[in-house]
Each structure stands twice: as C-alpha cells, then as structure tokens.
C-alpha cells in the first residue's frame, strides 16, 4: 500500500477499526481488530491518527464543543443525569456535523453496550441521555429484531416493563424482549426525539430496530452508518492537524 499517506483508527472498549487513506483522502484499505495496534499492523507504517476510548483522557463537562480546541476527541461528562459520552461517540458526532454544517437536533448512537441520545446545537453537545437497553437485551436473550406490539405496550405502560419482560421470557419471545426495552427507552427519552430532527448513527440490526421504532412514532430519523461517521470525523481531524 505505497499510496497510503495516513491511517485513522477508532478504538472502542473491546474492538477497533481503521482505514488507510491516500493523498486524495480516499480509503485505500480497512481493517478490524482487538486493538489500535493490531489494526495499524494490518494497515502499514504510515502515521496514524487514533481516537481511543481506552486512553485516560479527562472528560469535559457539557455543554461543550464536540471537539476540544486542539487534539483528538475526549469524553464528555454530565452531572444530571450522570453520564459519560465516550471519545468515539464524539468522533462520530464530529464526522456527522462535518457533513452537515450548522445542523441542530438530536443524534442517536446505539452500540452493543448503550444507546446515547445527544442534543446538539451550534457545534456543542448541550445534553445527553444514556440507556443500557442493548446490554440488557443481550443479557436477557433478546435478538436483533424488536416486536412492534411489545414496543407499543411498554411505551403506553412503561411502569409494567418488568412484568412484560417476565411474560416475554416465559413465552420464549426474544423479539418481544427488545421491543419492551426499546419501548421503555422511547418513553423515557421522549423529550429528545419528539418534534426534533434526528440522525441515527448506526447500520446494524439494533440500529434498524431503533429506526423502525422511531418511524412508527412519526419521528423518521436520517440515517448515517457508523463507519461513515467515524471516517468523516477522522478526516476532519486530519485536516485540522495539517493546518495547525
């Protein structure tokens, strides 16, 4: 890969993904691995820009600019309700806004562990709300699909979530488990999505389940893949570093 000029890597808590970019800013190769070092070993010895959730970087309290004035994204913290928005989420948000200057609204970032609802305005994260829905669904045996009836039942009566989950578990209805959990989440996160512009950053079955759930409530989110958001964020960081 002699035409590779630089490498960008996004390192999450368990896995990492990266891309090798040529002089025109196009992706020449990509790789996945357990760590940034493993990904870089696959992509070559060009200079690497790494955004990692494993780095011991102090968190900045919200409201805060998505990117610090210099350097790579750092986590954002919130006191009420307590929360931590990881550096990789900020990377994906920065890539999303790099393609949409002056955009205001709510970005939803689901991953294998949590979902993050982030209120973005004037290039800042104003507030965010975190939910353990994906982790709970996995622990309870829920699959990638979300039963629409279950979702509606728990949105209407979120106080019955535990009872609904017990019934779904007894009946072996794995799609109902995720449906009930997303229904409870949408009920709690209503101020974030009702009447807002929404971008859903993700392209796996879980993201599809959230997209379907929001669409059923009349809130049709714009979609952006996680890889595209991360690539755009890395490219924006590289451009900024090149001009400093």
């Amino acid at each position: 890969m002699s035409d590779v000029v630089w490498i960008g890597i996004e390192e999450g808590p368990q896995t990492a993904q990266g891309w090798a970019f040529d002089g025109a800013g196009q992706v020449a190769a990509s790789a996945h691995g357990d760590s940034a070092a493993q990904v870089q070993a696959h992509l070559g010895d060009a200079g690497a820009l790494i955004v990692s959730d494993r780095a011991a970087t102090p968190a900045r309290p919200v409201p805060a600019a998505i990117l610090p004035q210099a350097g790579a994204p750092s986590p954002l913290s919130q006191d009420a309700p307590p929360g931590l928005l990881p550096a990789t989420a900020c990377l994906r948000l920065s890539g999303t806004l790099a393609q949409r200057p002056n955009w205001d609204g709510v970005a939803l970032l689901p991953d294998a562990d949590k979902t993050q609802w982030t209120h973005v305005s004037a290039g800042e994260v104003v507030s965010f709300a975190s939910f353990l829905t994906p982790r709970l669904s996995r622990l309870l045996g829920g699959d990638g699909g979300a039963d629409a009836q279950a979702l509606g039942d728990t949105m209407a009566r979120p106080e019955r979530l535990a009872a609904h989950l017990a019934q779904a578990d007894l009946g072996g209805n794995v799609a109902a488990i995720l449906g009930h959990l997303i229904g409870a989440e949408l009920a709690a996160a209503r101020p974030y999505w009702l009447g807002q512009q929404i971008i859903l950053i993700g392209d796996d079955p879980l993201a599809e389940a959230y997209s379907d759930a929001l669409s059923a409530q009349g809130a049709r989110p714009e979609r952006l893949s996680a890889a595209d958001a991360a690539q755009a964020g890395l490219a924006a960081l590289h451009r900024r570093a090149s001009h400093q």
Side-chain angles (χ1 to χ4, degrees):
M1 293 186 291
S2 58
D3 58 343
V4 169
V5 175
W6 66 282
I7 293 168
I9 299 174
E10 177 192 68
E11 184 179 54
Q14 283 87 36
T15 62
Q17 60 180 342
W19 302 270
F21 294 86
D22 62 21
Q26 300 299 308
V27 173
S30 63
H32 290 75
D34 294 332
S35 66
Q38 190 178 84
V39 169
Q40 187 167 8
H42 284 294
L43 294 176
D45 56 4
L49 175 59
I50 300 172
V51 175
S52 177
D53 288 335
R54 306 177 199 182
T57 307
R60 296 176 294 130
V62 297
I66 293 171
L67 293 179
Q69 291 187 346
S74 57
L76 298 180
S77 63
Q78 182 173 264
D79 290 334
L84 186 72
L85 194 68
T88 54
C90 293
L91 173 69
R92 295 179 183 187
L93 286 174
S94 69
T96 301
L97 265 63
Q99 300 174 338
R100 297 164 181 79
N102 305 315
W103 183 87
D104 283 7
V106 170
L108 172 59
L109 300 97
D111 62 27
D113 190 55
K114 295 180 183 178
T115 50
Q116 307 275 9
W117 297 79
T118 58
H119 179 201
V120 176
S121 181
E124 291 188 341
V125 172
V126 178
S127 65
F128 63 94
S130 306
F131 293 84
L132 280 177
T133 300
R135 191 195 304 180
L136 289 171
S137 178
R138 187 174 64 253
L139 291 173
L140 293 172
D143 69 0
D147 181 84
Q149 181 64 50
L151 191 151
D153 288 347
T154 297
M155 271 202 75
R157 299 286 301 277
E159 73 277 8
R160 289 188 53 78
L161 172 62
H164 286 152
L165 288 173
Q167 292 160 16
D169 182 62
L170 183 64
N173 190 343
V174 293
I177 290 172
L178 182 58
H180 288 307
L181 290 170
I182 291 181
E185 179 176 336
L186 290 188
R190 197 183 303 271
Y192 277 89
W193 57 264
L194 187 63
Q196 297 281 354
Q197 291 191 91
I198 306 170
I199 291 180
L200 199 165
I201 304 171
D203 45 8
D204 60 4
L206 180 64
E208 291 293 336
Y210 276 95
S211 180
D212 291 345
L214 285 166
S215 296
Q217 303 306 311
R220 299 187 180 278
E222 184 181 351
R223 299 291 302 277
L224 180 66
S225 78
D228 285 348
Q231 286 180 33
L234 289 164
L237 282 175
H238 183 260
R239 286 194 299 271
R240 187 175 75 171
S242 299
H243 289 90
Q244 287 179 345

